Amino acid sequence: MTVMEQRGAYRPTPPPAWQPRTDPAPLLPDAEPYRVLGTEAAAKADPELLRTLYAQLIRGRRYNAQATALTKQGRLAVYPSSTGQEACEVAAALVLEERDWLFPSYRDTLAAVARGVDPVEALTLLRGDWHTGYDPYEHRVAPLCTPLATQLPHAVGLAHAARLKGDDVVALAMVGDGGTSEGDFHEALNFAAVWQAPVVFLVQNNGFAISVPLAKQTAAPTLAHKAVGYGMPGRLVDGNDAAAVHEVLTDAVRHARAGGGPTLVEAVTYRLDAHTNADDATRYRTDDEVETWREHDPIALLERELTDRGLLDEAGIQSARDAAEAMAADLRARMNQDPVLDPMDLFADVYAEPTPQLREQQAQLRAELAAGQEGAHR
């Protein structure tokens, strides 16, 4: 007689009353990334929204090109381009209401600009002038976050606090595929799901965490599948399809605002430029791979849809390009002006009441600056 025969048929232990059991099926993402452009769903899309998305994509592409040029001219220390990912950037900014908050990563400068942040102020951090070059409260855009994924717990905290206060606010937090390997990512998703916080996580899966491919980051079927382990819905979307990203994020924001809790959205996209201007992308990916993704360019996809439906003509295309060029010219002219910086600003907007250590450092810097000025006048 076997051990199992001695013990009788196996009977699973029922879960304790305090342990919730959630059906995972409704949380699972689609098998393939959701698409709108080039499908029957495109006919239902709002033409005015599609034209707005197109104009913003053209503006965003020009913004990326101009910012990249500024690094070569020495006007920026570094620039992480989002060329190829503009659909994610623009959609993330446009789905939010004025009262909502956007939590961007260092690559999401374009999303901040699309949200209303001044293009020059959005680049101030990357020029090395300020920790944050804009007032986060003006447009409800948190500071660009350079450490990977540390903005995600902040987004959850703000969203949870807003819910406790009864404020009708949603937070949308952006992160790259590499950021999903950080502990902050997992902590944020766990807290958000337990608290049912009104927050949307947008993962821009552009294939590489600098030079590390996704296959070396995770063994999960998709990054969207990670949502199930935390008890929230996962959505998989074509990140180069601006209409699809906007629709999926709109649904997620609406779900969060209605009290349904968080959603994890994975947007499958591609970074056409290098990680930053300091990166040599040819060391870890081929030109053929990049060219294959150029055929799935978010601007080309949307332009084809609009022109095929008679919603955009050559005059409309040229108008969007002219507006983008005007923005780039203004950005270029203003970035070519040397800023007037005050070292004492290091201590501004840090704490409402400076700590003793900061007051001591402030006094020391003030004395050093005064001594330097006296020496210059001798």
Side-chain angles (χ1 to χ4, degrees), residues 4-88:
M4 289 299 295
E5 289 173 334
Q6 292 175 356
R7 294 180 178 177
Y10 170 72
R11 294 181 179 86
T13 303
W18 46 261
Q19 182 179 341
R21 285 293 175 94
T22 302
D23 180 8
L27 307 180
L28 288 168
D30 295 335
E32 296 293 331
Y34 177 69
R35 294 181 176 87
V36 169
L37 301 179
T39 73
E40 294 180 358
K44 302 176 183 178
D46 179 9
E48 193 58 37
L49 171 63
L50 295 181
R51 282 190 286 260
T52 298
L53 288 170
Y54 177 76
Q56 288 287 346
L57 291 182
I58 294 292
R59 184 173 184 259
R61 179 64 56 87
R62 187 66 186 88
Y63 179 83
N64 274 315
Q66 185 59 69
T68 299
L70 288 168
T71 64
K72 298 176 182 178
Q73 298 164 10
R75 288 295 178 179
L76 280 179
V78 66
Y79 184 67
S81 173
S82 59
T83 296
Q85 301 178 215
E86 291 94 346
C88 299

Side-chain angles (χ1 to χ4, degrees), residues 62-122:
R62 187 66 186 88
Y63 179 83
N64 274 315
Q66 185 59 69
T68 299
L70 288 168
T71 64
K72 298 176 182 178
Q73 298 164 10
R75 288 295 178 179
L76 280 179
V78 66
Y79 184 67
S81 173
S82 59
T83 296
Q85 301 178 215
E86 291 94 346
C88 299
E89 301 281 310
V90 168
L94 295 187
V95 299
L96 297 176
E97 299 290 341
E98 185 176 347
R99 62 189 179 278
D100 297 330
W101 276 83
L102 179 70
F103 284 78
S105 74
Y106 59 87
R107 194 177 301 282
D108 303 319
T109 314
L110 174 55
V113 172
R115 177 89 168 134
V117 173
D118 181 278
V120 171
E121 292 182 355

Side-chain angles (χ1 to χ4, degrees), residues 101-291:
W101 276 83
L102 179 70
F103 284 78
S105 74
Y106 59 87
R107 194 177 301 282
D108 303 319
T109 314
L110 174 55
V113 172
R115 177 89 168 134
V117 173
D118 181 278
V120 171
E121 292 182 355
L123 292 174
T124 305
L125 169 69
L126 302 174
R127 187 160 59 176
D129 294 342
W130 279 72
H131 298 305
T132 298
Y134 54 87
D135 179 1
Y137 290 95
E138 182 179 359
H139 299 288
R140 301 215 166 190
V141 178
L144 296 173
C145 190
T146 302
L148 293 185
T150 56
Q151 75 275 20
L152 304 187
H154 298 166
V156 175
L158 183 141
H160 181 55
R163 185 184 179 204
L164 292 177
K165 291 164 59 179
D167 293 342
D168 188 21
V169 169
V170 173
L172 193 156
M174 306 176 72
V175 68
D177 49 287
T180 65
S181 294
E182 296 288 332
D184 300 82
F185 172 84
H186 301 280
E187 292 156 9
L189 266 67
N190 193 57
F191 274 117
V194 170
W195 289 338
Q196 287 292 281
V199 60
V200 177
F201 300 98
L202 172 59
V203 179
Q204 295 179 83
N205 176 8
N206 64 18
F208 293 92
I210 307 183
S211 60
V212 180
L214 183 67
K216 293 186 177 181
Q217 292 278 339
T218 180
T222 70
L223 294 175
H225 276 80
K226 293 180 181 291
V228 182
Y230 299 101
M232 70 177 71
R235 296 294 306 275
L236 186 63
V237 63
D238 183 340
N240 287 16
D241 184 333
V245 179
H246 189 277
E247 180 181 327
V248 168
L249 290 179
T250 297
D251 289 344
V253 169
R254 186 185 300 117
H255 178 78
R257 202 184 307 281
T263 300
L264 174 64
V265 177
E266 177 189 354
V268 181
T269 183
Y270 194 79
R271 157 170 64 79
L272 291 175
D273 288 345
H275 174 69
T276 69
N277 52 294
D279 173 42
D280 179 8
T282 62
R283 298 180 63 180
Y284 55 85
R285 65 184 192 185
T286 66
D287 291 341
D288 288 343
E289 177 181 306
V290 177
E291 289 306 312

Side-chain angles (χ1 to χ4, degrees), residues 325-340:
E325 192 56 47
M327 177 276 301
D330 177 71
L331 175 62
R332 185 168 57 248
R334 293 165 61 200
M335 287 293 292
N336 281 329
Q337 298 173 6
D338 292 328
V340 179

